Structure formats: C-alpha cells, structure tokens
Amino acid sequence: MRSRTAEWFETKVKYDKMMEDGSQKRVPELYVVDALSFSEAEEAVTEEAAHYSTGEFDVIDIKKAAYHEIFFSDNPSDDKWYKAKVNFIIIDEKTGKEKLSGVNYLVQSNTLQNAVKNIEEVLNTGMQDWKIASVAETSILDVYEHQIKSTAGTQQSEE
C-alpha cells in the first residue's frame, strides 16, 4: 500500500464507448484526478480519456473531492475504489474530553473486506487512536495522478 495526499477532483465524463457487442453507446463515467484547479482537472481527464474514447467526449461535472488522501494498492486485482470515513479520537485541550475528528479517504481494493484491511494496514502505522465509521464502494473507474513533463519530453509520475 502507498498513500498519496493531494488536491483531488472527481470528474464525470460522457463519451461514446465501444461496447463488448461492437456497438457504441454514450456513457457517463467517474474519474478522480490530481490537479491544482478545475481547469487543470478538466485538461487531465480529457487527456487520459482520449486513449479509450471514440467520437464525442464531454466533461459534464467537476467537483473537489471530499478526501485529500488516497490509499493505492499494489495488488493488480484491486480494481474498485471505496470511500472510507475514519474517526480519529482526539482529546479536547480545554475540556479534557474525547472528541471524534472525521477524515475521508479513497481506498483501492477488490472487496469491502480488503478495503478495511488496506485502511488498517496504513493507519496502524500511526500512533493516534481511530475507528472506521463507514466504508462504501464507489462508481469511480480510475484515479489519475498528476503527470509532470520532463525536459526530454517524456512524462513522469510526480511522487
């Protein structure tokens, strides 16, 4: 597992997709991109989607994601994305009472149970107490990390 913190945008695109039976169908799909602005998110998803779309292509919605950190799996069979809400237990300095601070994550996995395991794998390395409040499968098809162009004209993933 590796995690990446960035400014993430959920982008919904609509395009003509070649179906398994050979026909074309106009479909909406959801992708997440790492970008600094709405216009950069639109440019990134347009560039990525150009590889597999045919015909007309439209970005129909862009919104800032409710999470800033994504847990990427090293397992090639992990092809789904899950939104997770984790409550961190913090002590209020003024009252001395425990409070919960909710944080949202996007987690790559192939099942709900493995998504929970992936969350535990990443968060158990820290020292803060936490508990999972919810985990739900999303309709996100893929996540595109920011690409920087090198002077040689090749692209490298920004780590």
Side-chain angles (χ1 to χ4, degrees):
M1 281 312 300
R2 87 180 155 85
S3 68
R4 171 105 187 262
T5 302
E7 189 69 40
W8 299 101
F9 289 81
E10 291 183 351
T11 59
K12 188 179 283 186
V13 300
K14 198 172 225 183
Y15 64 94
D16 297 329
K17 183 177 185 177
M18 182 69 71
M19 307 309 285
E20 289 181 12
D21 64 2
S23 65
Q24 283 196 356
K25 183 177 179 183
R26 191 142 175 86
V27 296
E29 293 183 339
L30 186 61
Y31 297 92
V32 173
V33 296
D34 166 16
L36 298 174
S37 66
F38 286 91
S39 58
E40 188 177 277
E42 181 178 20
E43 181 182 336
V45 76
T46 300
E47 183 178 318
E48 291 293 340
H51 300 291
Y52 52 82
S53 66
T54 58
E56 196 172 323
F57 175 89
D58 295 308
V59 177
I60 58 174
D61 188 31
I62 300 175
K63 64 181 178 183
K64 284 190 174 187
Y67 41 84
H68 290 284
E69 189 168 2
I70 295 181
F71 301 158
F72 292 91
S73 173
D74 300 324
N75 185 343
S77 68
D78 288 348
D79 59 351
K80 297 177 186 168
W81 294 95
Y82 293 83
K83 281 189 184 175
K85 181 174 182 178
V86 175
N87 287 325
F88 288 91
I89 301 165
I90 57 174
I91 305 296
D92 186 311
E93 291 182 18
K94 293 180 182 176
T95 65
K97 294 183 180 179
E98 285 187 356
K99 290 175 37 176
L100 298 178
S101 176
V103 177
N104 295 310
Y105 297 99
L106 189 65
V107 182
Q108 188 177 20
S109 180
N110 60 351
T111 65
L112 180 69
Q113 294 80 8
N114 284 338
V116 171
K117 284 182 190 174
N118 290 347
I119 295 165
E120 290 171 345
E121 180 183 326
V122 173
L123 296 183
N124 279 339
T125 61
M127 302 215 16
Q128 193 168 9
D129 291 334
W130 56 272
K131 61 183 174 181
I132 296 173
S134 65
V135 179
E137 187 176 341
T138 70
S139 60
I140 295 168
L141 288 183
D142 210 348
V143 173
Y144 299 118
E145 296 182 77
H146 184 71
Q147 299 290 314
I148 55 174
K149 297 187 189 324
S150 72
T151 56
T154 60
Q155 291 188 349
Q156 300 172 344
S157 179
E158 180 181 354
E159 295 292 332

